[in-house]
Amino acid sequence: MVLILRLVEVLEEAIRSLSRTGRTVVVSDGKYSYTIASKTGRGPILVKVMVDGNDINEEHAVDLLIFSRLGVTSIIVAERDGKEELEDDTVYRKEGLSMISPKTLGNIANGKMPKLFKDRGMIKARVNGKVLRKMRQEHSLSLGEIAEALSVGRRTIYEYEKGNMEAAGERAMALMELFGSDVLEDADLSPRQDEKTLSKRITRLRAGSFVMQVHSLASAHAKFAETLDEPLLLDYDIREEAVKISEILGLGYAVIDDGKIDIIRPSHGNGD
């Protein structure tokens, strides 16, 4: 019961975050690979809302990875990762997907990208070396002076400026305090796709004499996704919610019927 209540709270926070910035559809049936489809100023987003990100199953994760190939930002929003509570404005990884807190989702929807990410057990950030060098020179600071402020060696600051080294979390925050958020690169939300896993979902779809290669979807509002030539969802029936979701995500929607493919809704890209 407690878990259900926490899930509702996380979901409500995610919905509030996205509803302020664009058109949003909440998928009520928990069997689907995603919980929210939203059209935002940063483009279309599919969100799987969970309390514990560890609970994502591979089937749902692969569906979301396939949607990312259609130009849709696909992410997991969770409260924690196992026993670890997710830090705000920090990007984690789960099954190749980006995982963030509900507050971070709201910040992204409002145009504030996270700067920190967790990699191999450590919170880090990528330093924008050109900005760091420019700001250092504008403030007439030496490499040694910044190094002393961050309690690191002069060589470390040199490597930051060259773009050869990531900054640990505390040092990244110190750099932001000194020079503002632009001194750090935005964290990467793009998925890390396992081609071998995705290739298992590739199938050939025949409609009359026409044959196309598509990805099968396990738990989505459509059976197939065309990811090569045009962002397109395909099914054997017209489903109202599926058409609505395809519209929000800027994807085409087609029905396979009587040996032919009928385009119900053409693709417009990025939800436009």
Side-chain angles (χ1 to χ4, degrees), residues 125-262:
R126 295 182 180 88
V127 180
N128 187 321
K130 291 181 179 179
V131 171
L132 175 58
R133 181 180 177 82
K134 179 174 179 286
M135 297 297 292
R136 177 175 67 78
Q137 292 175 339
E138 286 181 357
H139 288 79
S140 300
L141 295 171
S142 67
L143 292 173
E145 287 172 321
I146 298 179
E148 184 177 355
L150 268 63
S151 300
V152 297
R154 182 178 179 277
R155 181 73 184 183
T156 296
I157 306 303
Y158 174 81
E159 295 296 338
Y160 286 167
E161 290 191 355
K162 291 294 184 182
N164 296 332
M165 183 184 292
E166 295 165 341
E170 289 184 3
R171 288 164 187 161
M173 297 299 292
L175 281 172
M176 280 203 296
E177 288 180 10
L178 286 171
F179 302 118
S181 62
D182 287 345
V183 77
L184 300 180
E185 302 279 1
D186 291 344
D188 185 10
L189 292 177
S190 60
R192 296 174 183 171
Q193 300 189 352
D194 182 345
E195 294 298 331
K196 186 176 179 180
T197 299
L198 290 179
S199 67
K200 295 177 182 177
R201 291 283 195 92
I202 294 176
T203 186
R204 290 186 179 275
L205 187 63
R206 183 180 297 275
S209 60
F210 182 67
V211 179
M212 63 191 305
Q213 184 172 286
V214 297
H215 281 84
S216 60
L217 295 167
S219 303
H221 282 85
K223 298 293 185 185
F224 309 101
E226 160 63 78
T227 63
L228 296 178
D229 300 321
E230 180 182 9
L232 185 68
L233 300 178
L234 303 100
D235 210 331
Y236 295 107
D237 300 296
I238 300 175
R239 289 191 274 177
E240 185 177 342
E241 192 170 34
V243 176
K244 185 185 298 184
I245 287 174
S246 73
E247 181 181 359
I248 286 176
L249 300 179
L251 306 176
Y253 188 83
V255 173
I256 309 155
D257 185 37
D258 291 333
K260 63 182 185 297
I261 297 177
D262 292 328

Side-chain angles (χ1 to χ4, degrees), residues 4-221:
I4 293 174
L5 290 175
R6 287 301 306 137
L7 179 59
V8 170
E9 290 173 3
V10 175
L11 176 59
E12 287 178 345
E13 187 172 351
I15 293 170
R16 284 195 299 270
S17 297
L18 291 171
S19 295
R20 288 193 294 266
T21 62
R23 185 180 173 194
T24 299
V25 168
V26 179
V27 179
S28 57
D29 195 329
K31 72 180 182 182
Y32 289 107
S33 302
Y34 39 83
T35 317
I36 303 172
S38 185
K39 175 183 176 182
T40 75
R42 297 191 62 88
I45 294 180
L46 271 182
V47 180
K48 181 66 175 180
V49 179
M50 319 183 73
V51 173
D52 186 350
N54 266 339
D55 292 337
I56 187 76
N57 64 55
E58 183 181 353
E59 195 172 79
H60 288 181
V62 174
D63 272 2
L64 290 171
L65 289 172
I66 291 171
F67 272 100
S68 72
R69 291 200 163 188
L70 298 170
V72 177
T73 299
S74 302
I75 55 178
I76 300 169
V77 169
E79 183 179 59
R80 64 177 189 269
D81 181 16
K83 294 181 179 180
E84 179 186 3
E85 186 171 339
L86 300 191
E87 297 284 343
D88 293 330
D89 297 318
T90 303
V91 177
Y92 299 74
R93 290 285 175 181
K94 184 64 64 176
E95 298 291 340
L97 295 160
S98 292
M99 181 170 66
I100 58 177
S101 71
K103 183 177 178 180
T104 306
L105 175 66
N107 289 341
I108 291 172
N110 287 304
K112 180 187 175 185
M113 291 295 291
K115 301 292 185 177
L116 303 177
F117 61 92
K118 187 170 185 181
D119 181 45
R120 298 175 185 175
M122 292 183 60
I123 301 295
K124 304 177 182 179
R126 295 182 180 88
V127 180
N128 187 321
K130 291 181 179 179
V131 171
L132 175 58
R133 181 180 177 82
K134 179 174 179 286
M135 297 297 292
R136 177 175 67 78
Q137 292 175 339
E138 286 181 357
H139 288 79
S140 300
L141 295 171
S142 67
L143 292 173
E145 287 172 321
I146 298 179
E148 184 177 355
L150 268 63
S151 300
V152 297
R154 182 178 179 277
R155 181 73 184 183
T156 296
I157 306 303
Y158 174 81
E159 295 296 338
Y160 286 167
E161 290 191 355
K162 291 294 184 182
N164 296 332
M165 183 184 292
E166 295 165 341
E170 289 184 3
R171 288 164 187 161
M173 297 299 292
L175 281 172
M176 280 203 296
E177 288 180 10
L178 286 171
F179 302 118
S181 62
D182 287 345
V183 77
L184 300 180
E185 302 279 1
D186 291 344
D188 185 10
L189 292 177
S190 60
R192 296 174 183 171
Q193 300 189 352
D194 182 345
E195 294 298 331
K196 186 176 179 180
T197 299
L198 290 179
S199 67
K200 295 177 182 177
R201 291 283 195 92
I202 294 176
T203 186
R204 290 186 179 275
L205 187 63
R206 183 180 297 275
S209 60
F210 182 67
V211 179
M212 63 191 305
Q213 184 172 286
V214 297
H215 281 84
S216 60
L217 295 167
S219 303
H221 282 85

